Amino acid sequence: MQKEQSEMNKKAWSHKAYEWWEKKSGSPKEAAEDINRDPEKYMRKHLGYMGDVNGKRIAVLLGSSGRKAIPLARLGGIVTVVDISPENERYALEVAREANVEIEYIVSDLFDIDMEKLKHTFDIVYLEGGILHYFADLTPFARIVYELLKDGGRLVLNDFHPIRKVIYVSEDHTAELRGDYFDTRLLGGDVAYKGMFSLDEQESFPDCLLRYWTLGEIVTAVAASGLVLEQLAEEPRNDPNPHLPGSFTIVANKFRVDRV
Ligand SMILES: C[S@@+](CC[C@H](N)C(=O)[O-])C[C@H]1O[C@@H](n2cnc3c(N)ncnc32)[C@H](O)[C@@H]1O
């Protein structure tokens, strides 16, 4: 099931992604200039969970256009991105060159990376903003994260809060509950930036295939991998409904734990 899901999502993320990043962040030169002006701004609160990144080996999984990886490299991190879309890679590497930093960019399904080469090499594994719905099963994902980390390494995982899948916010900002929080189906959906193109152009966009997880499933998968949970922070929506959850961040560490 993961293979089929990844193939669909690769097609979706390989369609006009470069064009989208140019629309959103400008030319690679403009994007690089903005990152170099204030790399910390791009990391929002997440830098606080990582500590000093200078000299740290950091894996940015599903790292897309490099909009986190490049600021991290600017701050002294030794950064490897894994992402399935060659269009994202092209934009990210052009921005990195303009920003005068080096990043390693692996174009691959996360589930096909060379674990023999990469295991136990990272101080930090970082993912953020629209991640877990690309996975058909969280157990193999959490296993990969565990294996990538060195002993003492840390996972920083930020994503949309699962409650969002049942909260519908209308144009007048009133919120209403809709749908099934416990739905386990794989669902067809739009790639994140489809709505930014004209209706004519939207017709050619391939669909994504997505699985929306509950908070319990996410926390359980991380804990079951052997990582030790340090924090589950819930953050408010960044819109006129800050009384509702918007995102969450899990911080978990790879410590040796003797289980009885
Ligand atoms: C919404 S973006 C995540 C946000 C991202 N952190 C950023 O910096 O913009 C989701 C990314 O996941 C990638 N992706 C989806 N499924 C994947 C998979 N199975 N393996 C690797 N990358 C995947 C897509 O190509 C896309 O770039």
Side-chain angles (χ1 to χ4, degrees):
M1 186 43 73
Q2 183 64 55
K3 273 250 161 305
E4 184 194 337
Q5 186 184 12
S6 292
E7 257 159 41
M8 268 186 81
N9 293 331
K10 176 176 182 156
K11 270 196 201 117
W13 273 96
S14 302
H15 185 72
K16 293 189 184 288
Y18 187 97
E19 214 177 310
W20 154 243
W21 293 120
E22 273 196 317
K23 273 182 201 274
K24 182 178 159 63
S25 308
S27 68
K29 187 169 188 306
E30 289 164 334
E33 280 168 2
D34 199 58
I35 290 173
N36 282 351
R37 258 192 296 280
D38 187 1
E40 296 192 4
K41 175 187 81 181
Y42 279 76
M43 296 306 301
R44 298 181 289 144
K45 281 191 188 154
H46 301 166
L47 217 46
Y49 298 123
M50 295 180 190
D52 184 3
V53 295
N54 191 21
K56 297 257 172 68
R57 285 212 60 182
I58 306 170
V60 184
L61 306 181
L62 285 71
S64 219
S65 66
R67 69 194 174 102
K68 303 293 179 192
I70 296 163
L72 283 169
R74 192 75 232 167
L75 294 167
I78 303 157
V79 183
T80 299
V81 174
V82 177
D83 195 281
I84 206 164
S85 159
E87 285 222 14
N88 284 342
E89 179 202 34
R90 181 157 70 93
Y91 186 81
L93 291 184
E94 288 178 17
V95 177
R97 193 169 50 243
E98 295 287 352
N100 219 9
V101 295
E102 271 191 31
I103 57 169
E104 179 185 24
Y105 201 109
I106 300 173
V107 178
S108 171
D109 186 342
L110 177 65
F111 299 95
D112 292 338
I113 56 175
D114 183 350
M115 287 306 290
E116 270 318 299
K117 186 171 151 224
L118 294 170
K119 73 180 175 194
H120 308 153
T121 49
F122 294 100
D123 299 291
I124 298 169
V125 170
Y126 175 48
L127 307 94
E128 62 79 45
I131 294 296
L132 297 174
H133 53 224
Y134 293 109
F135 305 145
D137 184 350
L138 294 181
T139 304
F141 155 69
R143 186 77 222 156
I144 288 172
V145 170
Y146 184 89
E147 297 252 307
L148 288 174
L149 286 168
K150 296 176 186 168
D151 286 344
R154 168 169 291 199
L155 165 69
V156 178
L157 165 62
N158 164 270
D159 210 341
F160 302 123
H161 198 291
I163 195 71
R164 285 178 80 125
K165 66 184 174 179
V166 292
I167 294 180
Y168 174 79
V169 179
S170 52
E171 271 174 22
D172 67 359
H173 305 305
T174 48
E176 197 184 293
L177 288 177
R178 285 187 190 173
D180 177 3
Y181 180 73
F182 296 102
D183 195 347
T184 60
R185 288 173 301 164
L186 273 166
L187 301 169
D190 291 343
V191 71
Y193 52 86
K194 178 174 170 178
M196 305 303 155
F197 285 80
S198 72
L199 288 177
D200 267 4
E201 288 172 298
Q202 285 185 29
E203 281 177 20
S204 63
F205 271 69
D207 271 349
C208 283
L209 194 57
L210 305 169
R211 164 68 157 91
Y212 294 95
W213 299 96
T214 67
L215 197 55
E217 288 169 326
I218 296 165
V219 173
T220 301
V222 171
S225 75
L227 293 174
V228 179
L229 209 63
E230 178 176 312
Q231 213 179 128
L232 166 59
E234 293 176 282
E235 298 111 15
R237 285 178 74 109
N238 197 8
D239 67 8
N241 284 288
H243 59 294
L244 296 172
S247 60
F248 72 91
T249 306
I250 286 176
V251 180
N253 299 298
K254 184 169 173 177
F255 296 138
R256 265 180 207 293
V257 177
D258 294 323
R259 292 181 201 249
V260 280

